[in-house]
Amino acid sequence: MGFGAAIAGHCDFDGDGRDDMAIGAPGSDAVFIYLGANATSGTWTSSARLTAPAVGTSFGAAVACGHLDGDGLTDLVVGAPRSSLDRGAAHWYATQPGGRTFNLRATRDGTTAGDSFGNAVFAARDFDGDGRCDVLVSARGADAGAMMDNGSVTLLRPTMGGTWTLSSVVGGGAAGEQLGGALSSIGDLNGDGLPDVVVGAPFASIPAVNAGRVAAFTITATGTFGPVLLSVRGAAAGEELGASLLR
């Protein structure tokens, strides 16, 4: 995968009120930052290039931005799903004033070789209502006992001090469905005042092989995944419903 394999927009890294972008280039283990288009020229300004802590990790396969540590600046989360024998990793970068310097704050590694933790990341919503955006990281290759590649999604809660804690994990319901192929949020489905999570499982095979499915989960104020609120399945073999979601 090359330049543009993942894009995070609506990221105001420099605080000027215009949308900036983070563009992943996992084939080069890099993420490129572009500051918002000038109203007169319509051009984007290249701001920074972030390189992987280790090469060959597909750093930049997933990118997301959000206000994580309460300092008023938009931070960056980068997935590197091939890190450490495809165990995978997610990296949190704190944006410095001006949007040209990004300091590595924290890294969360996958659990087991082949998990591909960090294949998708999402950081634009405050799911637990503490005033800071939380981070969702998927591991589409995660297993659960005899269920191979059922996939999982992890909720990480950032702190003011620049660390994050593992809050909750939800796993796929069937072998091979690869829950976490894509991540997004749908707003408040159940009326609890908190946004809910939407997750794709593109290789779910009910009613047909690789028909795919999309599931919406609630997250409680204590930061744990609740029950499935809504599930939609693909209608035909090979549809792979849930391979991507609007963010």
Side-chain angles (χ1 to χ4, degrees):
M1 294 185 292
F3 182 85
I7 299 174
H10 305 295
C11 309
D12 186 8
F13 293 121
D14 58 359
D16 67 354
R18 294 196 296 268
D19 286 343
D20 306 318
M21 287 194 301
I23 302 176
S28 301
D29 288 312
V31 173
F32 296 85
I33 306 299
Y34 289 86
L35 301 182
N38 182 282
T40 301
S41 65
T43 58
W44 295 80
T45 301
S46 177
S47 166
R49 172 178 174 166
L50 283 67
T51 56
V55 298
T57 60
S58 288
F59 179 87
V63 289
C65 59
H67 296 279
L68 302 186
D69 56 9
D71 66 357
L73 298 173
T74 303
D75 296 321
L76 179 68
V77 179
V78 181
R82 297 197 63 188
S83 173
S84 301
L85 300 176
D86 295 349
R87 183 174 283 106
H91 306 284
W92 168 13
Y93 288 86
T95 306
Q96 303 306 297
R100 295 180 179 274
T101 302
F102 296 78
N103 295 337
L104 181 61
R105 270 284 180 86
T107 294
R108 170 69 64 169
D109 295 313
T111 303
T112 305
D115 277 358
S116 296
F117 186 77
N119 70 266
V121 294
F122 184 84
R125 292 287 186 130
D126 175 14
F127 292 111
D128 57 8
D130 68 354
R132 294 186 297 276
C133 290
D134 303 302
V135 179
L136 297 171
V137 184
S138 63
R140 64 188 302 168
D143 307 326
M147 283 200 301
M148 307 294 289
D149 294 339
N150 64 310
S152 68
V153 178
T154 296
L155 174 66
L156 300 173
R157 303 170 81 183
T159 69
M160 294 286 287
T163 61
W164 50 17
T165 58
L166 191 156
S167 182
S168 185
V169 180
V170 63
E177 75 169 13
Q178 296 191 20
L179 185 78
L183 300 170
S184 189
S185 177
I186 199 170
D188 182 10
L189 282 179
N190 62 345
D192 65 355
L194 298 172
D196 300 310
V197 176
V198 183
V199 183
F203 299 111
S205 292
I206 297 175
V209 174
N210 296 345
R213 75 178 178 110
V214 173
F217 296 87
T218 183
I219 293 181
T220 69
T222 58
T224 59
F225 285 98
V228 175
L229 297 171
L230 175 70
S231 185
V232 179
R233 292 187 179 274
E239 279 191 355
E240 297 183 10
L241 184 76
S244 62
L245 295 166
L246 180 65
R247 298 172 54 177

